[in-house]
Amino acid sequence: MSFGLVLPTVALFIAPPEEPAAAAPMPVVQVSSAATPQSAAPEPQVEAVAPASPPGSAPLDPLVDPAATASQTAPATAPTAMEATAGNIEATPGDPLEGFNRAMYSVFRTADQKIIRPVAMGYKHVVPKPLRSGIRNALSNLGEPIVFVNDLLQLKPGRAIRTLVRFLTNSTIGIGGLVDVAKTPAFSLPHHDNGFGNTLAYYGVGPGPYLFLPFVGPTTLRDLLGGQGDGMVLPLAVGKPFDRWQYLVPKGALGALDQRAESDADMKALLDGAVDPYATLRSVYLQNRTAEIEALHGRTVAIGTGSLEDPLSDPASGAASPLNDPLNDPATAAPSSPDVPASDKAGTPGASAGDPPARQADPLKDPLADPAAPANP
């Protein structure tokens, strides 16, 4: 059945109740047509009203209010306008690829919940902690030459020497880095991160757009390129086995599983209660990177202040603590200067300074009491 037949048929069932009333005069027209020739005039009017108008077309009934018909058709065009503006959401400054990044973050969250986290937690429960610590220390020790090179590129010879001594100490006394001997009080050479991303930032290269990639995590264009440079140091400088997939794949898999397992509690605390987990993770990453870059120049940045402060904090609150009890009486904040008439402070008018006050300003006193009445003893 074609839509041309269906629509008029449906219109007969959904026609407004006024149409049957309009068709009622038809018997009168048929009776009066034989009496006078003038009674045939209503027939064209009945024929003009009888056909059902298609939905959406202008009504033919002159008694129908055009404004009511327009109001009924207005909601049909409203969703179209909303759909036209649904995608016009301005990107966050520093995150021009937010739509792509959010899609990648959604992919990561799905893969993390179904695959990555279960495997990482299984690795944590199956592999003993001393062995996991040994693998972590060994992988960290293999990254010390990269830290050493970037310390030199940043013109920090003192840090470079400490990094070199740490690497030699753990590679020998620490059994190839399985034991982090250098961080003990006997040596006091803790590990510090450094890479080509830091070196680029140290010399003024901007971070570029923020990125979130499923197998990389939160990063920026600068840090992504710097990470690729870090990964090329050992393959180019040493060669075999650091340029073989038999080394690269297990190293990447073990490092990712160990990092995911060790950071599980922190990720849950950070993201589970977040209204927008993507924005929360982005903010934390960018704040930490800003602090690391500033530390290279000997400056410190208070996390949560400046341009990366909490967007929900009240800028007009000044130095007030955000945890103040909202039920506290603001009038009690400055007890040293209450807004009390001088006569109340000194007791009665004309009293000397040494006389005890006859009345105290009571914020809970009866508002109907006569202030001119003498105070009770």
Side-chain angles (χ1 to χ4, degrees), residues 92-95 207-211 218-223 278-293 301 303 307-308:
T92 304
D95 190 5
Y210 174 81
L211 298 170
T219 184
T220 60
L221 181 59
R222 178 194 62 203
D223 293 341
Y278 168 82
T280 300
L281 185 61
R282 176 185 61 195
S283 177
V284 170
Y285 173 80
L286 293 178
Q287 290 186 56
N288 289 339
R289 288 296 292 145
T290 300
E292 292 173 359
I293 301 306
V301 175
I303 300 299
S307 60
L308 295 174

Side-chain angles (χ1 to χ4, degrees), residues 141 144-145 147-148 151-152 157-171 189 192:
N141 191 60
E144 295 295 345
V147 177
F148 171 76
D151 286 341
L152 292 178
R159 293 184 64 180
I161 293 175
R162 289 194 296 271
T163 301
L164 179 60
V165 174
R166 171 182 167 82
F167 173 70
L168 296 176
T169 301
N170 285 340
S171 298
L189 296 172
H192 69 274

Side-chain angles (χ1 to χ4, degrees), residues 5 72 180 214 291 293 304:
L5 298 177
Q72 294 177 358
D180 192 354
I293 301 306

Side-chain angles (χ1 to χ4, degrees), residues 10-321:
V10 174
L12 292 176
F13 290 99
I14 64 174
E18 290 78 5
E19 291 185 5
M26 291 181 62
V28 179
V29 173
Q30 293 177 0
V31 174
S32 61
S33 62
T36 60
Q38 296 178 355
S39 60
E43 293 182 2
Q45 297 178 0
V46 175
E47 293 178 356
V49 176
S53 59
S57 63
L60 299 178
D61 189 353
L63 299 179
V64 176
D65 185 7
T69 305
S71 63
Q72 294 177 358
T73 58
T77 60
T80 304
M82 295 176 62
E83 293 174 1
T85 59
N88 298 333
I89 301 176
E90 295 183 0
T92 304
D95 190 5
L97 304 176
E98 184 170 356
F100 169 80
N101 292 331
R102 285 185 177 274
M104 294 298 99
Y105 177 77
S106 178
V107 172
F108 163 76
R109 288 283 286 180
T110 301
D112 182 73
Q113 294 174 359
K114 296 183 178 181
I115 301 175
I116 300 176
R117 184 181 183 276
V119 175
M121 300 310 294
Y123 166 81
K124 182 177 181 179
H125 289 289
V126 172
V127 181
K129 184 176 181 179
L131 182 56
R132 286 187 284 111
S133 299
I135 295 175
R136 188 183 314 118
N137 292 335
L139 295 178
S140 176
N141 191 60
L142 290 174
E144 295 295 345
I146 302 173
V147 177
F148 171 76
V149 171
N150 285 278
D151 286 341
L152 292 178
L153 292 176
Q154 296 166 16
L155 305 179
K156 299 180 182 297
R159 293 184 64 180
I161 293 175
R162 289 194 296 271
T163 301
L164 179 60
V165 174
R166 171 182 167 82
F167 173 70
L168 296 176
T169 301
N170 285 340
S171 298
T172 55
I173 304 176
I175 316 173
L178 292 175
V179 181
D180 192 354
V181 180
K183 72 176 182 180
T184 60
F187 295 92
S188 298
L189 296 172
H191 170 77
H192 69 274
D193 293 324
N194 208 350
F196 284 108
N198 287 1
T199 301
L200 293 174
Y202 182 79
Y203 288 105
V205 178
Y210 174 81
L211 298 170
F212 188 94
L213 303 177
F215 295 101
V216 178
T219 184
T220 60
L221 181 59
R222 178 194 62 203
D223 293 341
L224 180 64
L225 297 178
Q228 300 302 314
D230 296 339
M232 295 174 61
V233 171
L234 292 180
L236 294 179
V238 181
K240 190 177 180 179
F242 300 106
D243 58 350
R244 300 291 189 267
W245 68 268
Q246 292 87 346
Y247 162 80
L248 296 174
V249 173
K251 173 182 177 295
L254 289 175
L257 289 177
D258 182 75
Q259 184 179 13
R260 179 63 184 88
E262 294 300 321
S263 62
D264 182 68
D266 294 336
M267 289 187 64
K268 291 182 65 176
L270 178 67
L271 302 178
D272 284 0
V275 177
D276 188 351
Y278 168 82
T280 300
L281 185 61
R282 176 185 61 195
S283 177
V284 170
Y285 173 80
L286 293 178
Q287 290 186 56
N288 289 339
R289 288 296 292 145
T290 300
E292 292 173 359
I293 301 306
E294 292 298 318
L296 294 176
H297 296 278
R299 300 188 293 264
T300 58
V301 175
I303 300 299
T305 61
S307 60
L308 295 174
E309 63 184 356
D310 184 3
L312 299 181
S313 60
D314 184 9
S317 60
S321 173

